[in-house]
Amino acid sequence: MPSLIELAIAVFLVIGGVFVFVGSLGLAKLPDTMRRLHGPTKATTLGIGALLAASILFFLVMQNAGGIHEVLITMFLFLTAPVSGNLIAKAYIFRHKDIQESLPPAGDRGGWATLGEQKPAERAQRQPQRRDGPSAVE
Amino acid sequence: MRARFLPHPLLAATLALVWVLLTNDFSWGAVAFGLLLGLAVSKLTSVYWPRRPRIRNVPAIIEYTGIVMWDIIVSNVLVAYLILFRRGTSLRSRFVMVPLELESPEAIAVLAGTITLTPGTVTADLSADGSALLVHCLETDDAEGTVAAIKSRYERRLMRIFQ
């Protein structure tokens, strides 16, 4: 039933294209950096996910070759998208005084990590030097 | 002895598996090179990973993955709607603080990533002592509700995986 498979591939391609487009549109349309971050960090995960699903289907059925690369691409995207989003947000907060003043206070927690000075005592408490894992005794 | 040469067996095995999958063509040479790569990378980076996260409760991991996948689909539709049909300046965006009960750095990293990938929220920062996350919401009138949802839906499940 190649026509049904072709239909499914086409549907995935359209869904993927729509979400990637909306993600990019959000990046261009929304008014400030923090709101703009929402577009690319989310809309692209489903968009690219659908495109990759189409790719897997196509190569599986049409070329008779299973594609594992697509799964890896999805995995790498899920690992990198939040990290880059987080770094952009941190840089934005760090450079804008008015944003810093609008943040909910985190005073008794040592302040926000991007802005605050961490006391050495706290750092030592958070990072106990435990090199021996649970199975190191074996 | 084992901890010295193989500080992170799970990391080494994952790297080897990813290498074999990347070559996309099974051969014992690729497996050997992948294992070598996994051993070398996990040894060289072990300075940055002083602790080994304890991961158990595999069904909980599968449940968590499923829930996150579903939420990613929902959040994409939701955010797409907000982008397409709302004027950017009319969105009630704000920062909220999510106090954390999780303590292991790996678990907090997973939670931060999940928050970024799911409905209308982006993780912006971590408090200096690691006990709260700063989260930006795209559209919310109920900050407490958002925080409670994050805590009950994701953090509670991560507690079961990591602690």
Side-chain angles (χ1 to χ4, degrees):
Chain A
M1 271 199 277
S3 61
L4 254 182
I5 300 288
E6 276 168 23
L7 187 74
I9 292 172
V11 167
F12 273 126
L13 282 179
V14 171
I15 293 177
V18 166
F19 277 104
V20 171
F21 171 73
V22 169
S24 315
L25 183 73
L27 187 65
K29 185 189 160 193
L30 293 175
D32 58 71
T33 307
M34 278 317 295
R35 285 180 198 164
R36 283 180 177 179
L37 265 182
H38 288 272
T41 49
K42 280 182 268 302
T44 48
T45 42
L46 182 60
I48 294 177
L51 293 179
L52 293 173
S55 165
I56 292 176
L57 263 182
F58 177 79
F59 281 105
L60 204 63
V61 179
M62 304 291 166
Q63 317 268 318
N64 223 347
I68 299 294
H69 280 169
E70 286 88 345
V71 181
L72 285 177
I73 296 173
T74 319
M75 208 175 81
F76 292 151
L77 258 183
F78 278 26
L79 290 179
T80 52
V83 174
S84 40
N86 183 233
L87 280 178
I88 293 171
K90 277 171 95 85
Y92 180 67
I93 291 171
F94 187 71
R95 296 189 53 158
H96 289 80
K97 266 269 174 302
D98 50 329
I99 299 292
Q100 293 170 19
E101 276 148 23
S102 75
L103 297 180
D108 55 333
R109 298 170 194 273
W112 295 111
T114 307
L115 310 170
E117 281 289 305
Q118 196 180 14
K119 295 188 198 80
E122 281 169 351
R123 198 180 304 146
Q125 188 204 339
R126 285 296 303 177
Q127 289 279 336
Q129 287 296 312
R130 250 186 57 206
R131 283 195 66 101
D132 50 326
S135 58
V137 278
E138 288 170 29
Chain B
M1 187 68 180
R2 213 186 108 201
R4 191 156 160 218
F5 287 101
L6 194 59
H8 297 286
L10 203 61
L11 177 65
T14 312
L15 284 170
L17 180 71
V18 167
W19 179 260
V20 172
L21 292 179
L22 273 176
T23 53
N24 212 8
D25 179 29
F26 184 85
S27 71
W28 288 108
V31 174
F33 191 71
L35 279 174
L36 210 67
L37 211 64
L39 285 180
V41 171
S42 59
K43 177 77 184 129
L44 287 175
T45 57
S46 65
V47 187
Y48 307 109
W49 303 87
R51 297 162 57 175
R52 187 190 296 170
R54 271 177 298 176
I55 295 176
R56 43 194 167 202
N57 207 342
V58 176
I61 297 177
I62 295 169
E63 186 203 4
Y64 187 76
T65 315
I67 283 176
V68 170
M69 290 287 174
W70 173 248
D71 285 354
I72 284 173
I73 296 174
V74 173
S75 87
N76 271 279
V77 176
L78 212 81
V79 171
Y81 173 80
L82 290 176
I83 289 173
L84 286 175
F85 299 108
R86 287 281 295 274
R87 294 176 61 88
T89 44
S90 77
L91 292 171
R92 284 156 298 179
S93 308
R94 56 171 297 182
F95 285 101
V96 296
M97 183 177 79
V98 181
L100 294 174
E101 283 159 57
L102 289 170
E103 278 170 4
S104 108
E106 292 82 11
I108 294 175
V110 174
L111 180 67
T114 310
I115 290 173
T116 298
L117 290 173
T118 49
T121 47
V122 166
T123 310
D125 206 354
L126 179 72
S127 75
D129 68 348
S131 70
L133 280 174
L134 180 65
V135 172
H136 186 262
C137 302
L138 183 61
E139 158 81 13
T140 182
D141 359 303
D142 179 16
E144 277 86 48
T146 312
V147 173
I150 289 173
K151 286 188 75 74
S152 66
R153 195 167 172 84
Y154 306 123
E155 192 185 20
R156 193 172 50 79
R157 291 192 167 87
L158 281 177
M159 299 271 282
R160 277 177 31 212
I161 294 175
F162 282 96
Q163 273 158 19

